Amino acid sequence: MVVLGLALLLGLTTAFATPALQAVVPALVPRSDLGAAVAMNSVTFNLARAVGPVAGAVVVARLGIPWAIGLNALSYVALAGAVVALRADTPAPARGGARPTLLDSIRRVRREPQLVLLLAVVAAVSVSLDPVNTLTPAFATRVFGRADTFAGVLIGAFGVGAVIASLLPANAPADEDAGAPSRVLPVALLLFGAGLADFALAPRLGVALAALPVAGFGYLLAQTRATTAVQLGVADDERGRVMALWSVAFLGTRPVASLADGGLANLIGPRGTTLVFAGAVLVAAVAVVRGGRVRPT
């Protein structure tokens, strides 16, 4: 019960903190640097999700689970200190003097097909990542005949691709057609989906280890570009509430994805389940091409 209670507290804290942390970035830089700042913030946020499991697996293997949880908790102390030291500009008050509600932001997003599409892409990419975190132990033992700890190597291969994607220049334009997905987004989605599909169908371990970096590269690039477009597509006084919707798409879908992931794996195995989840990303790529206004860069 203590663990469940602490997990609930962590979830509630994350629900409040994530939108605020995402929304504060535009208040820290001039408008001319907004595109690059939002892109860099998206990279660090998503890179932590891609590489974090690898670091956690190493700490658990060397020091044990309590140390892994303790070190993760200590990492938040540095974040809390940085937030306390921040001196951000206060956002302009809402137009008309009335304080908007979350319902107002939902209505606003529904009037913008581009934002709906981008939030759907964020959800699809987040859901499709779940087999990498959840099913790699099954791939290690049942598919490739290795120890369950070999899952850390598989996740690490995925993380290599994410790290490479994080090194790309953060050059999203802040003023040109803000809120529209770039042409890079569908390409990144295709890379993520194709990498996952190749991993699922890999006849040998070497093929799987080659496919996972491709998937990791596409994952981080797609999530970063979609998140950046969402940030740039809303006004300053709406950004926090819209990023709360982004949090639902990015984090709120994870429990549902894990439940579906485990259930499907029992029915059709890890290979078939990963293929199904890869299909969600490929559908998102088609939706962006057909329904998305794209920027030249």
Side-chain angles (χ1 to χ4, degrees):
M1 290 300 295
V2 173
V3 173
L4 291 176
L6 291 174
L8 176 62
L9 179 62
L10 176 62
L12 292 173
T13 303
T14 302
F16 282 96
T18 300
L21 290 173
Q22 291 288 313
V24 76
V25 175
L28 301 176
V29 297
R31 177 70 185 179
S32 58
D33 297 330
L34 182 56
V38 171
M40 290 175 62
N41 178 62
S42 300
V43 165
T44 56
F45 191 90
N46 289 285
L47 186 62
R49 189 181 179 192
V51 180
V54 182
V58 172
V59 175
V60 168
R62 297 293 181 87
L63 302 175
I65 294 177
W67 273 97
I69 297 176
L71 290 174
N72 184 50
L74 285 176
S75 69
Y76 283 91
V77 175
L79 174 62
V83 171
V84 170
L86 284 180
R87 294 295 181 266
D89 294 334
T90 303
R95 292 179 293 273
R99 176 175 293 181
T101 64
L102 180 59
L103 185 59
D104 293 327
S105 296
I106 294 175
R107 293 186 181 123
R108 195 266 191 210
V109 168
R110 289 178 60 185
R111 293 195 300 269
E112 294 286 344
Q114 290 296 312
L115 287 177
V116 175
L117 175 62
L118 289 167
L119 290 174
V121 167
V122 169
V125 174
S126 181
V127 166
S128 298
L129 177 65
D130 197 74
V132 177
N133 293 328
T134 305
L135 297 183
T136 43
F139 273 94
T141 57
R142 293 166 53 185
V143 176
F144 300 120
R146 302 297 182 97
D148 56 357
T149 53
F150 192 77
V153 176
L154 297 176
I155 298 176
F158 182 89
V160 167
V163 169
I164 295 173
S166 71
L167 300 177
L168 295 180
N171 59 350
D175 298 314
E176 182 183 15
D177 203 8
S182 72
R183 291 177 180 173
V184 175
L185 181 56
V187 175
L189 291 168
L190 287 173
L191 286 175
F192 183 25
L196 277 182
D198 288 345
F199 170 62
L201 299 173
R204 297 181 302 277
L205 178 58
V207 177
L209 290 175
L212 282 170
V214 176
F217 182 92
Y219 158 75
L220 189 68
L221 189 60
Q223 194 67 279
T224 298
R225 292 306 175 107
T227 300
T228 301
V230 171
Q231 288 260 34
L232 297 178
V234 297
D236 292 342
D237 60 308
E238 298 173 326
R239 188 169 286 111
R241 288 174 294 276
V242 172
M243 294 312 293
L245 300 178
W246 176 91
S247 298
V248 173
F250 184 62
L251 300 175
T253 54
R254 292 173 63 181
V256 178
S258 297
L259 181 63
D261 198 357
L264 278 177
N266 288 330
L267 294 175
I268 61 177
R271 288 186 183 272
T273 302
T274 304
L275 275 178
V276 171
F277 278 69
V281 180
L282 297 176
V283 170
V286 174
V288 171
V289 171
R290 296 189 62 181
R293 230 167 2 108
V294 294
R295 286 193 307 247
T297 58

